[in-house]
Amino acid sequence: MEVRACAGNMDFACLWLGLLLPVVATLDFSYHHQEEMEEFLKNVAQNYSSITHLHSIGRSVKGRNLWVLVVGRSPKEHKIGIPEFKYVANMHGDETVGRELLLHLIEYLVTNDGKDLEITNLINSTRIHIMPSMNPDGFEAVKKPDCFYSNGRENGNFYDLNRNFPDAFEFNNVSRQPETVAIMEWLKTETFVLSANLHGGALVASYPFDNGVPATGTVHSRSLTPDDDVFQYLANTYASRNPNMKGDQCKNKMNFPNGITNGYSWYPLKGGMQDYNYIWAQCFEITLELSCCKYPREEKLSSFWNLNKASLIEYIKEVHLGVKGQVFDQSGNPLPNVIVEVQDRKHICPYKTNKFGEYYLLLLPGSYTLNVTVPGHNPHLTKVIIPKKSQDFSALKKDILFPFRGQLDSIPVSNPPCPTIPLYRNLPSHSAATKPSLFLFLVTLFHVLFKYSKM
């Protein structure tokens, strides 16, 4: 799609364009409770209807809507080749900075479309889903804000939502909460590629796994995914652009080199959302701890926005990392439910094409062999080279023609999910990714000395 940005001798036309563009009342730097948040989101959806879509993915224990605002050129539906990105905040109701940051991010995106080249390109090339509050009941339950702990951490049934998801390493026999179920169902409806979950109480970008077994490296006090290089890169992308995360960190708390950490190295966590996203939704998610104080004073919110704005934007752009494409049969029909993975980094729950035959693989620059597998047929191997400087706002595009003549009737239209059970329990306790390092030894030492409860 053509970029609609203003430059050169088009200044006069752009002035008129600016006058014609819809305007949303400036969002103040204060805490917005449910009614105020809903009013803001509905105004944005009404005034920017061509690039936004507001919908609720479910309701909280106490019946509050779980709102998601989508921003993109095709906000109401997925378009082939356009990756899906999401931000989720306020999972713990008393961790409030992320909630306000996402409201300001929404305002920044919609008001800069057509004016700022980077934002315009981002909206042209990406479908961005923003959920300011996953736990509105918890937020409303906080009567006396506190930096360390408030009653609103849990949901309306007093469950910690970041301990409430199925776990791939051990059974998590807890009552699945409405907010958790809503997220799990939402993940089935979209081909999410990249995500971040915004928390508070520390300053660090934490990446999977949060839980683990010896096969993922727990004997070395860490738990690494097959895509550890990508996750470290993603975490560093965010942290390196936030001066506080890479510099001044929280006093009397654990410090993190470069502002990033492996989740398990920090402390093990069962039933977390980022592990669930990666294993069962094919979505790379990291956890962003963005404030030492969980519920800081309102007058500090503008500072948090200034510290995080560049990181929030840059992180969205990373959804275009690596390679994407479609898998076709010899007749040119897209093939759903086909396994497409890098040969030496297979996932415990294989990543498959969606109903459009699409695949998205987040990869760093380098040479890879893709293993394309159709049930009942021999694997098809194809090489791909991700250049050091990928195309702006687009992953490398590589469509794959599966070398099989005739109808592939054996491929079901739907994508049967892997069972939500501890898939890692029976793996052998060795892995190329589990060799110890001095960095992880030091992280473990700090963990023992300064361990405290999950943000």
Side-chain angles (χ1 to χ4, degrees):
M1 185 173 291
E2 189 177 32
V3 173
R4 298 182 296 134
C6 304
N9 57 10
M10 297 176 64
D11 289 345
F12 182 75
C14 288
L15 174 63
W16 279 105
L17 177 61
L19 293 173
L20 293 173
L21 287 173
V23 176
V24 170
T26 302
L27 187 70
D28 60 337
F29 285 101
S30 64
Y31 287 112
H32 298 84
H33 287 264
Q34 187 74 5
E35 289 186 5
E36 298 168 300
M37 182 179 73
E38 287 184 354
E39 181 181 7
F40 169 74
L41 293 174
K42 289 177 180 178
N43 283 339
V44 170
Q46 179 179 354
N47 291 324
Y48 296 86
S49 58
S50 65
I51 60 167
T52 65
H53 171 56
L54 179 64
H55 66 112
S56 171
I57 65 164
R59 289 184 179 270
S60 67
V61 169
K62 297 188 176 180
R64 294 183 172 95
N65 278 303
L66 304 176
W67 292 110
V68 173
L69 188 88
V70 187
V71 182
R73 291 288 169 242
S74 177
K76 293 185 179 180
E77 62 180 356
H78 175 74
K79 292 293 185 183
I80 293 173
I82 302 296
E84 308 284 344
F85 175 93
K86 65 181 170 71
Y87 274 133
V88 176
N90 203 210
M91 185 181 201
H92 292 145
D94 63 338
E95 296 171 15
T96 56
V97 170
R99 175 186 176 112
E100 297 304 323
L101 288 180
L102 292 191
L103 294 178
H104 283 278
L105 176 63
I106 288 170
E107 180 185 55
Y108 186 77
L109 290 174
V110 299
T111 57
N112 281 283
D113 181 38
K115 301 176 183 178
D116 181 280
L117 181 60
E118 180 182 54
I119 298 304
T120 304
N121 281 331
L122 197 60
I123 293 174
N124 285 345
S125 60
T126 321
R127 193 160 172 251
I128 306 164
H129 305 247
I130 301 175
M131 174 185 276
S133 182
M134 180 181 165
N135 185 7
D137 293 351
F139 180 81
E140 299 298 333
V142 179
K143 302 304 179 187
K144 188 177 181 181
D146 188 86
C147 275
F148 303 105
Y149 181 83
S150 302
N151 290 334
R153 174 184 174 89
E154 293 86 11
N155 76 339
N157 284 336
F158 303 103
Y159 278 84
D160 186 329
L161 296 178
N162 207 29
R163 309 291 189 281
N164 198 240
F165 285 83
D167 193 273
F169 304 96
E170 55 185 311
F171 286 102
N172 191 26
N173 298 319
V174 295
S175 175
R176 213 71 69 208
Q177 294 302 292
E179 297 89 347
T180 308
V181 172
I183 293 287
M184 292 171 65
E185 292 301 313
W186 181 37
L187 295 179
K188 296 176 184 177
T189 67
E190 304 286 356
T191 307
F192 286 116
V193 178
L194 181 61
S195 173
N197 176 18
L198 281 59
H199 286 251
L203 282 172
V204 66
S206 173
Y207 56 89
F209 288 122
D210 273 332
N211 206 350
V213 292
T216 61
T218 58
V219 291
H220 305 302
S221 298
R222 63 184 183 181
S223 185
L224 306 184
T225 72
D227 299 291
D228 186 66
D229 58 339
V230 178
F231 272 117
Q232 289 199 42
Y233 169 82
L234 292 170
N236 188 65
T237 293
Y238 196 97
S240 65
R241 288 165 176 79
N242 182 319
N244 281 0
M245 292 177 78
K246 66 179 181 180
D248 296 333
Q249 296 181 0
C250 306
K251 297 178 180 179
N252 302 321
K253 290 188 178 182
M254 182 175 175
N255 284 327
F256 303 95
N258 301 315
I260 72 173
T261 185
N262 172 251
Y264 187 94
S265 294
W266 187 5
Y267 55 90
L269 183 161
K270 179 173 71 174
M273 186 163 72
Q274 71 175 11
D275 285 6
Y276 182 85
N277 267 266
Y278 176 71
I279 292 169
W280 281 289
Q282 303 187 187
C283 177
F284 285 42
E285 178 168 291
I286 66 173
T287 298
L288 300 171
E289 304 278 358
L290 300 179
S291 60
C292 299
C293 178
K294 293 190 175 188
Y295 203 136
R297 299 191 304 273
E298 286 184 333
E299 53 264 34
K300 293 192 174 184
L301 290 176
S302 61
S303 174
F304 282 115
W305 170 244
N306 291 331
L307 288 168
N308 285 278
K309 180 175 71 172
S311 295
L312 288 165
I313 297 299
E314 193 65 28
Y315 187 76
I316 299 174
K317 290 162 64 175
E318 297 303 333
V319 76
H320 300 289
L321 190 69
V323 61
K324 67 180 180 182
Q326 288 177 279
V327 179
F328 298 97
D329 64 15
Q330 289 288 323
S331 300
N333 302 307
L335 297 177
N337 207 29
V338 173
I339 297 172
V340 181
E341 299 203 296
V342 175
Q343 195 169 26
D344 60 350
R345 55 177 72 201
K346 295 182 179 179
H347 301 94
I348 192 74
C349 183
Y351 280 24
K352 301 179 180 180
T353 56
N354 64 14
K355 64 182 180 180
F356 304 107
E358 287 180 288
Y359 73 94
Y360 295 85
L361 296 176
L362 296 180
L363 298 167
L364 299 183
S367 179
Y368 302 91
T369 298
L370 302 186
N371 190 325
V372 185
T373 307
V374 171
H377 301 277
N378 293 328
H380 171 62
L381 303 181
T382 183
K383 290 188 176 181
V384 61
I385 297 177
I386 310 296
K388 288 187 177 180
K389 183 172 177 57
S390 297
Q391 305 171 51
D392 290 337
F393 301 100
S394 177
L396 179 70
K397 189 175 186 298
K398 183 174 180 61
D399 291 336
I400 299 169
L401 186 65
F402 195 77
F404 180 84
R405 298 191 181 280
Q407 186 65 32
L408 295 176
D409 295 326
S410 61
I411 306 178
V413 174
S414 62
N415 189 348
C418 292
T420 50
I421 60 173
L423 300 172
Y424 273 95
R425 283 177 68 91
N426 297 321
L427 281 188
S429 58
H430 61 82
S431 169
T434 59
K435 296 178 182 178
S437 68
L438 176 61
F439 164 70
L440 287 165
F441 170 78
L442 293 174
V443 168
T444 304
L445 179 61
F446 277 119
H447 166 61
V448 172
L449 294 175
F450 299 103
K451 181 177 180 182
Y452 57 95
S453 64
K454 179 77 172 174
M455 299 314 132

